Amino acid sequence: MSAARNIELKARCPDLAAARAAAERHGARFVRVEHQRDTFFHARTGRLKLRERTWREGQDAEDRSDAELIPYERSDTGGARESRYHVVPVIEPAALIAGLAAALGIRGAVVKRRELWMWHNVRIHLDAVEGLGAFVEFEAVMLPGETDAEAHARVTALQAALGLADADVVPVAYADLLGL
């Protein structure tokens, strides 16, 4: 199975409420709020994380949760860039963390509150990351037949709509910013 691809951009955001309002004005659709814990492992190439998520679908609904193992490769360059990844559903995250920790070692964990919005095929993440602050991340998931230029154009349009300056763009993963 070949890796999925997206074009992504991450930027520091001084005001998530303003970014939320701008995303909504631009036509983005709110999906949900998730609480995520990404445990990063040492990897021979790229990055390897196990993501544990908890969310609530509606006001009166019970919390739901799941976990995914995500190996990915992405350059640490500024601006929008390609990411190649696999998403593997995980049934027993604690057991997998223990096994991967024994085999590879743990780099550390990133804990965040993520507000998820969608605009066309672009996931908009409004993130509050423990120990780092507020960020906006765009992930334009590549559709069949879509060109990189089309995905870059969507990301650029959202960056402008949300008022994110090029100087605020972050070229590395949250784990790197935390020194993991």
Side-chain angles (χ1 to χ4, degrees), residues 84-136:
R84 292 182 178 271
Y85 59 94
H86 294 274
V87 177
V88 181
V90 172
I91 295 171
E92 296 184 39
L96 184 57
I97 288 172
L100 289 173
L104 303 173
I106 293 176
R107 288 179 53 197
V110 174
V111 178
K112 63 186 166 288
R113 177 191 182 275
R114 170 166 283 174
E115 196 171 312
L116 174 62
W117 291 72
M118 289 295 299
W119 183 70
H120 297 280
N121 62 319
V122 182
R123 294 186 293 238
I124 303 169
H125 303 150
L126 307 180
D127 290 342
V129 184
E130 285 185 15
L132 291 178
F135 296 82
V136 172

Side-chain angles (χ1 to χ4, degrees), residues 10 37-50 69-74 76 96-111 132 171-180:
K10 179 184 309 169
R37 178 180 182 84
D38 293 343
T39 302
F40 282 81
F41 302 91
H42 296 283
R44 189 172 43 89
T45 60
R47 294 178 174 92
L48 178 63
K49 66 184 173 187
L50 187 131
L69 184 67
I70 306 171
Y72 67 102
E73 293 188 25
R74 182 190 66 229
D76 290 337
L96 184 57
I97 288 172
L100 289 173
L104 303 173
I106 293 176
R107 288 179 53 197
V110 174
V111 178
L132 291 178
V172 297
Y174 295 136
D176 298 324
L177 291 174
L178 287 167
L180 304 179

